[in-house]
């Protein structure tokens, strides 16, 4: 995964596509997701939509090897970035998680840690020694990148918990981008936020896609339509005797196509609000 070239490449070149093929995702014996094949494009926003339980979060977590932290959880198939399978035996999952960052549904800053140190938390975890001036540069760059700088620059020493929910989520985005990942995964990042904060995060996603490949899970169809370039629709399938169920990719296409002229009737029913 790591080469010095990627480290020193300009930001726009760090963004990368992800090739997923024949991916099955298990929790122990339970197959939660079956047979996903798709390519996530670089420098774009890809939305994952579908009814609850179809495996959106599970799929998202498989993209940075967070899935396997659940005991018994595993995948079959391939997820390739830059010619390397993330699941190859010699790939370090910690390094994968540095390259493929994640933002969660509920903002989760360290509450008593200062805003400044929250931004640096991931950087420090990666065990690089950070000089004072580098630390300040990273904090300012990341907070500017997350559109939070002007709101917090005069209170960087205050605890993370002193921010509003929307600000906390942007702080978490700042923390995620501080380590300069190549891909940013976001699992329903706005579901705990008011419409104004949601709008700010949506604007931010559109700005950040110049630099990162972004994958977002959302239940908000308008949001998927507003921010994403491509949309993947997943659904739960049942086998004939309805004993087994698993999530499957039904359709993946340009967002515009998914929302105006999908190929599959099930996609049309879902995006038009008839089911789900
Ligand atoms: N830790 C776990 N152990 C076992 N099964 C799990 C675990 N997490 C999720 N599952 C199962 O995997 C399937 C997919 O769950 P997942 O959370 O990925 O769905 P989702 O599409 O993100 O749903 P939602 O929209 O409600 O967030 C479900 O059947 C769920 O019960
Ligand atoms: Mg989920």
């Amino acid at each position: 995964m790591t080469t010095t070239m990627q480290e020193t490449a300009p930001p726009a070149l760090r963004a990368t596509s992800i090739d997923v093929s024949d991916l099955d995702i298990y929790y122990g014996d339970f197959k939660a997701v079956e047979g996903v094949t798709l390519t996530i494009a670089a420098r774009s926003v890809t939305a994952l939509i579908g009814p609850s339980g179809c495996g959106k979060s599970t799929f998202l977590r498989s993209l940075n090897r967070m899935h396997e932290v659940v005991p018994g959880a595993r995948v079959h198939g391939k997820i390739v970035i830059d010619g390397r399978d993330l699941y190859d035996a010699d790939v370090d999952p910690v390094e994968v998680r540095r390259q493929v960052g994640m933002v969660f549904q509920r903002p989760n800053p360290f509450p008593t840690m200062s805003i400044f140190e929250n931004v640096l938390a991931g950087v420090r975890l990666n065990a690089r020694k950070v000089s004072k001036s580098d630390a300040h540069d990273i904090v300012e760059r990341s907070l500017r990148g997350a559109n939070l700088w002007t709101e917090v620059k005069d209170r960087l020493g205050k605890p993370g918990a002193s921010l509003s929910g929307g600000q906390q989520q942007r702080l978490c985005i700042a923390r995620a981008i501080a380590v300069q990942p190549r891909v940013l995964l976001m699992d329903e990042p706005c579901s705990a936020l008011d419409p104004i904060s949601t709008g700010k995060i949506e604007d931010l996603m559109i700005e950040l896609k110049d630099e990162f490949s972004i994958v977002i899970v959302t239940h908000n169809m308008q949001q998927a339509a507003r921010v994403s370039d491509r949309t993947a629709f997943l659904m739960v399938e049942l086998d004939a005797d309805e004993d087994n169920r698993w999530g499957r990719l039904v359709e993946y296409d340009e967002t515009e196509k998914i929302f105006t002229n999908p190929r599959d009737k099930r996609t049309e029913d879902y995006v038009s609000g008839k089911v789900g």
Side-chain angles (χ1 to χ4, degrees):
M1 287 282 304
T2 45
T3 69
T4 36
M5 207 209 90
Q6 285 162 13
E7 298 282 330
T8 55
L13 297 180
R14 281 204 318 268
T16 182
S17 59
I18 307 177
D19 286 305
V20 179
S21 44
D22 296 324
L23 190 72
D24 300 330
I25 315 178
Y26 293 84
Y27 292 99
D29 293 334
F30 171 59
K31 192 195 280 180
V33 175
E34 182 177 85
V36 173
T37 297
L38 54 74
T39 295
I40 292 162
R43 282 180 297 285
S44 68
V45 178
T46 300
L48 304 177
I49 61 168
S52 190
C54 70
K56 302 177 297 297
S57 297
T58 299
F59 175 71
L60 200 69
R61 288 194 298 264
S62 75
L63 297 178
N64 75 345
R65 295 192 59 171
M66 289 272 286
H67 175 64
E68 70 205 45
V69 305
V70 176
R74 63 207 156 85
V75 308
H76 282 167
K78 274 180 181 292
I79 301 179
V80 176
I81 296 185
D82 293 329
R84 289 294 306 276
D85 188 336
L86 297 189
Y87 285 88
D88 272 354
D90 60 345
V91 172
D92 176 4
V94 175
E95 177 55 23
V96 172
R97 289 169 207 146
R98 197 183 76 71
Q99 304 260 0
V100 185
M102 186 143 187
V103 173
F104 299 87
Q105 186 166 4
R106 300 238 153 231
N108 59 350
F110 299 105
T112 55
M113 192 184 268
S114 69
I115 294 168
F116 188 91
E117 285 301 326
N118 259 287
V119 177
L120 288 172
V123 178
R124 297 213 195 278
L125 208 68
N126 282 299
R128 266 200 296 136
K129 237 188 160 349
V130 193
S131 73
K132 252 194 167 152
S133 72
D134 279 354
H136 188 274
D137 288 350
I138 293 168
V139 168
E140 178 167 346
R141 171 174 51 75
S142 306
L143 287 171
R144 281 189 190 282
N147 284 344
L148 187 58
W149 175 248
T150 50
E151 288 162 66
V152 301
K153 65 178 171 23
D154 298 324
R155 46 171 168 150
L156 295 173
K158 292 267 159 41
S162 67
L163 299 176
S164 74
Q167 289 172 329
Q168 287 186 20
Q169 194 60 306
R170 279 177 284 144
L171 178 61
C172 293
I173 293 173
R175 181 176 66 191
I177 64 181
V179 300
Q180 300 199 291
R182 309 183 69 198
V183 180
L184 209 50
L185 309 176
M186 298 186 170
D187 196 348
E188 302 190 51
C190 303
S191 64
L193 305 183
D194 68 273
I196 296 198
S197 304
T198 297
K200 286 187 183 174
I201 306 265
E202 288 182 1
D203 291 345
L204 183 54
M205 282 188 256
I206 292 166
E207 284 169 32
L208 289 175
K209 75 174 181 180
D210 287 342
E211 230 175 298
F212 307 98
S213 313
I214 298 178
V215 187
I216 174 187
V217 171
T218 181
H219 279 285
N220 180 331
M221 295 301 109
Q222 287 77 23
Q223 178 167 80
R226 278 193 297 264
V227 302
S228 72
D229 301 286
R230 297 176 74 77
T231 297
F233 171 56
L234 291 93
M235 228 176 99
V236 178
E237 274 187 0
L238 295 168
D239 61 4
D241 45 16
E242 305 203 350
D243 277 347
N244 294 302
R245 49 171 54 228
W246 52 78
R248 234 180 202 294
L249 178 62
V250 173
E251 187 164 353
Y252 178 49
D253 214 322
E254 307 283 331
T255 294
E256 162 117 29
K257 177 109 169 45
I258 293 284
F259 282 92
T260 58
N261 185 23
R263 264 179 292 122
D264 197 293
K265 175 83 169 61
R266 294 168 295 175
T267 312
E268 189 183 333
D269 287 348
Y270 186 76
V271 301
S272 65
K274 283 189 198 139
V275 290

